[in-house]
Amino acid sequence: MTIETRSLSDTEIRGIAARIDRPVVLVGMMGVGKSTIGRKLAQLLGLPFHDADDEIEKAAQLSIAEIFERFGEAHFRDGERRVIARLLEGGPGVLATGGGAFVQPETRALIHRKGIAVWLDSDVATLVDRVTRKDSRPLLRGGDPKEIVARLKAEREAAYAEAPIKVMSDAGPHGEAINRILKALNEWL
Ligand code: S3P
């Protein structure tokens, strides 16, 4: 078994969790698996998990699609930044952010200051496969998902690349991506 695929032991994971002193913030494209991976990662580490998009919906009492429709993207980004600022004050934990959050300069600066950003990346085909399973994302409405995902990924990559940690989240089960995040955190902390 290579180092890459070896799972960490419970003791190693506890050791990593003990060194996490601020939120681990998952950033990257829609469909990469930030929420699913984040929830499982938090569970393994024994830390609280928050999903910024869920918290925005709770605060607004509206779905993300409704916020975009009624108030537009700029209003959504404003609320997103405020919700993320609040969640970053919560101490050690795992925070999944929406795909555009880390692209906004102010939100990105906040995350750099208060959290550890982890860029989860996949190829376009995997992202498209995952995002086309549900129709809840306003940025994908009214266009070809493959074209939109490829364009957004190209536009956003420079911002995502500012994250100190980058992990690939390939097609298939999320366990391997979680393992990679744990190992990267182990080296980085
Ligand atoms: C967005 C991604 C979505 C959500 C909103 C905008 C984006 O989150 O925040 O629809 O700009 O990429 P996910 O990355 O969880 O899909």
Side-chain angles (χ1 to χ4, degrees), residues 6 9 31 43 50 56 78 80 95 108 112 127-128 132 138 152 161-162 167 182:
R6 186 182 71 85
S9 68
Q43 211 167 37
H50 291 100
I56 295 163
D78 203 46
E80 178 179 59
L95 172 61
R108 186 165 68 249
H112 277 313
L127 296 173
V128 172
T132 44
L152 287 176
E162 284 191 28
V167 163
L182 288 169

Side-chain angles (χ1 to χ4, degrees), residues 28-31 34-35 51 53 56 64 68 73 76-77 80 97-101 131 136-139 152 156 160:
M29 283 293 292
M30 51 177 98
K34 299 176 297 277
S35 303
D51 185 295
D53 280 349
I56 295 163
I64 304 278
F68 268 73
E73 181 171 350
F76 169 76
R77 296 299 173 200
E80 178 179 59
T97 62
V131 295
S136 58
R137 294 180 172 95
L139 293 181
L152 287 176
R156 292 172 167 185
Y160 293 149

Side-chain angles (χ1 to χ4, degrees), residues 12-72:
E12 284 172 307
I13 295 172
R14 270 200 303 275
I16 297 166
R19 280 181 289 139
I20 294 177
D21 58 353
R22 62 210 122 137
V24 173
V25 185
L26 303 185
V27 307
M29 283 293 292
M30 51 177 98
V32 78
K34 299 176 297 277
S35 303
T36 313
I37 289 172
R39 186 168 286 112
K40 289 188 187 157
L41 176 67
Q43 211 167 37
L44 271 174
L45 290 166
L47 293 174
F49 171 73
H50 291 100
D51 185 295
D53 280 349
D54 289 350
E55 297 288 334
I56 295 163
E57 292 187 332
K58 257 194 250 165
Q61 294 287 302
L62 291 170
S63 70
I64 304 278
E66 283 167 334
I67 301 172
F68 268 73
E69 254 167 55
R70 291 204 203 169
F71 307 109

Side-chain angles (χ1 to χ4, degrees), residues 2 43-44 91 98 126 144 165:
T2 63
Q43 211 167 37
L44 271 174
T126 306
D144 168 26
I165 295 175

Side-chain angles (χ1 to χ4, degrees), residues 67-121:
I67 301 172
F68 268 73
E69 254 167 55
R70 291 204 203 169
F71 307 109
E73 181 171 350
H75 180 93
F76 169 76
R77 296 299 173 200
D78 203 46
E80 178 179 59
R81 188 192 64 252
R82 282 185 278 115
V83 165
I84 289 175
R86 167 170 61 79
L87 294 171
L88 285 169
E89 295 300 327
V94 178
L95 172 61
T97 62
F102 200 64
V103 183
Q104 309 300 310
E106 274 190 59
T107 307
R108 186 165 68 249
L110 271 170
I111 294 172
H112 277 313
R113 218 167 33 243
K114 301 276 176 132
I116 309 165
V118 176
W119 173 21
L120 279 182
D121 193 22

